[in-house]
Amino acid sequence: MIYLDYQATTPLAPEAFDAMVPLLRDQFANPHSAHRLGRAVAAQVELARDEIGRLLPSGGRLLFTSGATEALNIAIQGAPAGGIVTIATEHAAVLDTVEAMRRAGRDVTILPVGADGLVDMDAARAAIRPGVSLVAAMLVNNEIGVIQPVEALAALAHEAGALFLCDVVQGYGRVPVPQGCDMVAISAHKIHGPKGIGALWLRDGAKPAPLIHGGGQEGGLRSGTLSPALCAGFGVAARLMRERAEEDRAHVGHLAALARDLFADWTMNGSATARYPGNLNLRRDGIDGARLLSHCRNIAFSLGSACASGSGRPSHVLRALGLTDGQARGSVRIGFGRYTTPAELERAARELNEAAVAQAAP
């Protein structure tokens, strides 16, 4: 099986696995216990917290969560009263939560994007006004890889007196996190860490209302017993993202250049320049992505967000770009990274291209 679905999840780094095993098997104490064993594993949690924070802005604190979805829910549901502004191409974890806030009586504005997937800044300037309390935007889009101008959006938010929340799940360790963020959501399993753990970074002074109540862990904002093993795996994965940054960037850039040649007969969805190169969302006339996925069973790729897979609906991200339902259904997402080899990409492209030609034949 050739794995080309890095936006859905990434392979667990062997170093992260090795760090987790002792904390699952031998060092099993509760990190919130006051005895010596508890303090020992709590120290491992804090080492991981510090390591993860090295790739985030200065002047803030990191709270562990079960994942980015929980982090985003805490940030959105716990934001001060006022309007909410976000973008049509955001992840469902943002859009569905914002919709719940709208049903509860909050004023919500969804900003449109252009054909390149970039937010309409004129619409943003008109919408982000005093009375708005929260602006939420994704740094790197999970479906099309487009990088939004989050620094400009953060500046508009601050001018209006609003907090700026950034979903950095796909960009953490790959694209610098802007200093203008007030809240940042990240996830371990997108950076070769374990599933089941994420984090919410809060700038000093930002304190959303708690979403989960209980023992008061994580500064009272996220109650619940932490898993030292998951925290340690996350910390090691973050360290590797920092230490291997140049090597990974060069490798992904080489694969992206190769992919552009291998998929020359396909059209890229979203901006060709303002993007993370390890995410290629491609479409081709005359094909159905679901049929292609069924035919190419030895290749793991996707039709869009893993969270929406199987819904049967065209991608809301691709529809926001102005694509027709047919064009959206004829699109596939190819994601690659640290452990992808050029030979794997070449074999996958050959099989995908052959299947696409056969499907489009009269």
Side-chain angles (χ1 to χ4, degrees), residues 15-28:
E15 297 91 337
F17 176 82
D18 290 342
M20 292 169 63
V21 170
L23 291 162
L24 289 168
R25 183 184 58 208
D26 304 317
Q27 302 169 38
F28 52 81

Side-chain angles (χ1 to χ4, degrees), residues 317-338:
V317 172
L318 298 182
R319 294 293 284 118
L321 269 60
L323 270 62
T324 65
D325 285 358
Q327 289 174 321
R329 289 195 171 97
S331 298
V332 300
R333 184 182 67 184
I334 304 296
F336 41 80
R338 180 182 299 166

Side-chain angles (χ1 to χ4, degrees), residues 2-354:
I2 299 173
Y3 188 76
L4 295 176
D5 200 16
Y6 268 59
Q7 280 68 51
T9 196
T10 53
L12 182 66
E15 297 91 337
F17 176 82
D18 290 342
M20 292 169 63
V21 170
L23 291 162
L24 289 168
R25 183 184 58 208
D26 304 317
Q27 302 169 38
F28 52 81
N30 188 321
H32 310 294
S33 295
H35 50 64
R36 182 166 58 88
L37 293 177
R39 294 197 304 273
V41 294
Q44 297 299 311
V45 170
E46 295 312 311
L47 285 173
R49 196 189 309 271
D50 290 344
E51 194 61 69
I52 296 162
R54 296 181 69 172
L55 287 169
L56 293 166
S58 57
R61 57 181 174 144
L62 187 85
L63 308 178
F64 285 114
T65 65
S66 64
T69 293
E70 183 188 355
L72 291 165
N73 270 265
I74 294 171
I76 295 169
Q77 296 192 51
I84 301 173
V85 176
T86 190
I87 304 175
T89 52
E90 293 297 301
H91 192 279
V94 168
L95 292 178
D96 287 359
T97 307
V98 166
E99 172 60 19
M101 295 295 95
R102 185 193 65 77
R103 292 195 300 268
R106 298 285 285 270
D107 182 60
V108 171
T109 300
I110 308 295
L111 299 174
V113 298
D116 57 3
L118 294 171
V119 65
D120 183 330
M121 287 302 295
D122 288 335
R125 280 184 283 270
I128 304 172
R129 296 292 188 183
V132 169
S133 66
L134 180 69
V135 177
M138 186 186 293
L139 179 60
V140 177
N141 188 271
N142 61 305
E143 289 198 31
I144 58 175
V146 168
I147 299 174
Q148 294 291 355
V150 295
E151 288 188 78
L153 291 169
L156 289 175
H158 295 155
E159 289 172 12
L163 293 172
F164 183 74
L165 165 63
C166 197
D167 173 350
V168 185
V169 169
Q170 298 290 339
Y172 177 75
R174 301 179 177 95
V175 177
V177 180
Q179 291 291 326
C181 298
D182 298 299
M183 300 184 285
V184 170
I186 57 177
S187 179
H189 77 100
K190 307 293 189 178
I191 60 161
H192 307 289
K195 297 174 182 65
I197 186 166
L200 175 64
W201 177 88
L202 299 172
R203 182 175 297 285
D204 291 341
K207 189 174 181 180
L211 184 63
I212 297 175
H213 301 278
Q217 294 92 340
E218 294 301 276
L221 285 177
R222 199 279 178 179
S223 294
T225 302
L226 291 175
S227 164
L230 293 179
C231 293
F234 195 175
V236 170
R239 174 176 60 79
L240 291 173
M241 292 298 287
R242 179 174 54 82
E243 293 177 348
R244 295 180 52 115
E246 291 302 321
E247 182 182 352
D248 284 351
R249 188 175 298 113
H251 179 62
V252 169
H254 172 69
L255 292 173
L258 178 62
R260 284 193 291 272
D261 289 337
L262 293 170
F263 294 99
D265 294 332
W266 298 65
T267 299
M268 184 183 296
N269 293 321
S271 172
T273 54
R275 66 179 306 104
Y276 169 65
N279 179 336
L280 297 181
N281 196 295
L282 308 167
R283 72 177 188 271
R284 187 163 175 162
D285 292 339
I287 73 160
D288 179 88
R291 285 180 57 197
L292 200 67
L293 188 64
S294 177
H295 182 86
C296 300
R297 297 181 181 178
N298 293 321
I299 307 170
F301 63 101
S302 76
L303 309 180
S305 171
C307 302
S309 114
S311 69
R313 298 187 303 271
S315 160
H316 75 278
V317 172
L318 298 182
R319 294 293 284 118
L321 269 60
L323 270 62
T324 65
D325 285 358
Q327 289 174 321
R329 289 195 171 97
S331 298
V332 300
R333 184 182 67 184
I334 304 296
F336 41 80
R338 180 182 299 166
Y339 303 115
T340 311
T341 68
E344 286 176 326
L345 189 57
E346 289 170 351
R347 289 200 304 273
R350 183 165 56 250
E351 186 172 338
L352 284 166
N353 283 323
E354 289 174 355

